[in-house]
Amino acid sequence: MAKGPNDKQNIATRLVSAGRRPEWTGPVVNPPIWRASTHLYPDMAALKDGPRRNEDGRFFYGRRGAPTQWALAEALTEIEPGAAGTILYPSGVAALAGALMAVLKAGDVLLITDNAYDPTRAMGLGLLTDFGVETRFFDPLDPASLEAAICERSRAVLLEAPGSLTMEVQDVPALATIARRHGLVSVFDNTWASPLGFPALERGVDITVMSLSKHVGGHSDLMMGAASAGEKYYALLRKRAQQLGQVVSPDDAALALRGLRTLGIRLKQETSSALQIAEWLRARPEVAQVLCPILPGAPGHEIWARDFTGGCGLFSFVFKGGDAQARARFVDALTLFGIGYSWGGYESLVVPVDPAPIRAVTPWPPAGWDPADRFGLRLAIGLEDPRDLIADLERGFAAL
C-alpha cells in the first residue's frame, strides 16, 4: 500500500497520526479492534474480484487482516523511510524467519554476523539447514570478513547493530554495499534503534526487521514482529507470509499501535537514563568494560555517532575479573532490575552475557582484553528514575 498523506510530516507527528485513516477509525481516535475471521461479500461479482486485489485495505479473509492490522502496518511503513510496505508477524523471530525464507531457497548460503541474536543463529543452524540452506558467520567489525565469506551460492546476509549482547556496532552501510555489489539481499535486525534511530533502508539495507515485542509494544504485554522493505522485497515478504499463513491478532495490533504513539518519548528517556548509568558504571573499579555505543569513548561509538540518530536503553558491561558466582550474587541483590529476557518495556531488566560458547569466528573476550574479564551483564534500562537504578546497582556491587 502506498504511503498516506503523513509521509512528509516530522517523525514525532507521524508517530501520532500514522495509520489513522478516517475509514478505519470512524469518529474515534484509534482504529477499533476488528475481530474477524470471515469477510462477507455483497454479491458473486465481488467474491470473484476479491483474490485479484491482494493489498492491505481490501477485505478478503481474516488471514489478510482487517483495519486494526492494516493501520499498524501502514503506521510502521510511514515511519520507515524508503518502505513500500510492512508485514506483521506473531513474534520478532517469526519476522526474521519470514524475511529469510522469502529470499532463500535450498542450496543457498546465508551469511550471519557473528554477534547476532542467539535465536537468529539457531535459525541459521537449525531451521534453514533443514530446508537446505547453508549458514556461515563473519566478523561484524571486519567488512573484509564478509567479503571473504561470499561464494557463488551466497544469497543473503543478515546484519545486526549493535549486537544483542556484546553491542558491537557494524558499519552497516559498508556491509550493505558489499552485499549489493555481490547480488546478495541484506536483512537487518533493527530492533535496538528502530527506524527513529537508524533509517535502515535509507542506509542501503534491503529488508529491515523489528521485534515489536520490544520498544514498539513498550509495555511487556505482547509478542509481535515486523519486516519492511521497498517494492521488490515487500512483494516477496507478502507472498511468503501469506503462503506460511502468518497473521497477528487484532487485539495485539491495537496494543502495538498504542505503544507506537509514545515510542519517541520513551526512547529519549531510556537513552538519557542509559547514558547516565553507563557513565556511572565506567567509573566503578569493579567494571572492566562498558559496552554502550551511545557512550563517548565506548567501543563502536564513532560509527554509532556517524550513522545513528538515536539509541535506546539496552547496553552491557563486563566485570573486572570475578566469576559466575559473584555475578549471580550481584544480580540476586538487585530489587528494581527484573531478571528476564526481552527489553524495551517500561521496566528495567538484567540478564547475564556469556557469548563465548556460541561464537563462530570472533572470540569472547575479544583480543586485547584480559582473559579474566569475561563475565558480563546486559541491562535494559526502563522508565524508572536513573538515580534509583544506580542505587540498585550499588546494592549489587556491595554483594560481590
Side-chain angles (χ1 to χ4, degrees):
M1 175 181 293
K3 292 186 180 181
N6 302 325
D7 61 335
K8 296 185 183 300
Q9 295 173 342
N10 293 316
I11 190 63
T13 304
R14 206 178 306 172
L15 282 170
V16 172
S17 59
R20 290 172 53 199
R21 294 192 179 201
E23 62 265 36
W24 296 343
T25 62
V28 298
V29 173
N30 297 304
I33 298 174
W34 290 60
R35 299 187 186 96
S37 59
T38 302
H39 298 174
L40 298 177
Y41 294 85
D43 51 43
M44 285 296 294
L47 179 68
K48 185 177 180 180
D49 190 50
R52 300 173 184 168
R53 299 178 180 273
N54 185 356
E55 61 183 20
D56 286 357
R58 299 282 184 176
F59 287 94
F60 175 74
Y61 180 64
R63 197 166 55 242
R64 289 192 189 168
T68 319
Q69 294 101 322
W70 298 337
L72 174 59
E74 181 170 277
L76 292 169
T77 300
E78 289 195 22
I79 66 169
E80 185 70 65
T86 297
I87 299 296
L88 305 176
Y89 301 85
S91 70
V93 169
L96 286 165
L100 293 173
M101 295 185 76
V103 299
L104 293 168
K105 65 180 185 305
D108 288 344
V109 171
L110 168 66
L111 306 174
I112 298 181
T113 175
D114 204 27
N115 63 346
Y117 181 46
D118 194 26
T120 303
R121 303 175 69 94
M123 189 185 306
L125 298 173
L127 171 70
L128 295 176
T129 298
D130 292 342
F131 283 89
V133 174
E134 179 185 349
T135 293
R136 301 175 184 173
F137 295 92
F138 65 93
D139 184 339
L141 300 182
D142 182 9
S145 177
L146 171 60
E147 193 102 42
I150 295 173
C151 69
E152 67 279 359
R153 294 189 294 115
S154 299
R155 171 60 177 151
V157 56
L158 194 146
L159 309 172
E160 180 179 326
S164 291
L165 294 174
T166 47
M167 301 292 136
E168 297 96 334
V169 183
Q170 301 172 329
D171 189 338
V172 176
L175 295 172
T177 297
I178 292 172
R180 189 161 294 179
R181 185 168 68 243
H182 289 274
L184 277 63
V185 182
S186 55
V187 180
F188 180 61
D189 186 338
N190 197 25
T191 304
W192 186 87
S194 85
L196 276 63
F198 187 83
L201 300 182
E202 284 193 339
R203 298 289 191 266
V205 170
D206 293 314
I207 299 173
T208 181
V209 176
M210 274 197 297
S211 171
L212 306 184
S213 315
K214 311 296 195 296
H215 290 125
V216 171
H219 294 76
S220 301
D221 55 6
L222 72 93
M223 298 289 291
M224 197 179 298
S228 303
E231 290 185 9
K232 176 182 177 181
Y233 292 110
Y234 172 64
L236 291 177
L237 291 170
R238 188 177 183 90
K239 176 182 177 181
R240 187 67 75 226
Q242 291 180 357
Q243 290 173 332
L244 293 172
Q246 296 282 25
V247 66
V248 305
S249 83
D251 298 78
D252 284 349
L255 288 175
L257 275 167
R258 182 193 64 183
L260 185 69
R261 306 309 181 189
T262 60
L263 175 62
I265 58 174
R266 285 187 287 106
L267 283 176
K268 288 180 182 177
Q269 181 59 51
E270 290 174 21
T271 303
S272 173
S273 295
L275 183 58
Q276 183 176 340
I277 293 168
E279 289 173 338
W280 178 82
L281 283 168
R282 184 158 61 181
R284 296 289 306 199
E286 306 94 336
V287 173
Q289 299 284 343
V290 178
L291 307 176
C292 180
I294 65 175
L295 178 66
H301 176 74
E302 289 186 3
I303 293 180
W304 177 84
R306 185 195 71 186
D307 292 343
F308 288 70
T309 58
C312 74
L314 191 76
F315 71 95
S316 300
F317 73 93
V318 179
F319 292 100
K320 187 173 294 184
D323 53 34
Q325 291 73 29
R327 181 175 61 182
R329 290 195 300 272
F330 181 100
V331 172
D332 289 346
L334 302 177
T335 60
L336 290 180
F337 286 86
I339 306 170
Y341 299 105
S342 197
W343 38 278
Y346 60 84
E347 81 292 1
S348 294
L349 297 171
V350 60
V351 291
V353 172
D354 290 309
I358 64 172
R359 288 297 178 95
V361 297
T362 54
W364 181 264
W369 284 23
D370 186 331
D373 300 339
R374 62 189 182 92
F375 294 97
L377 290 174
R378 187 184 73 182
L379 303 179
I381 305 302
L383 300 180
E384 302 93 342
D385 191 300
R387 294 169 296 183
D388 293 328
L389 294 175
I390 287 173
D392 203 32
L393 293 169
E394 285 182 325
R395 282 187 283 270
F397 284 118
L400 287 177

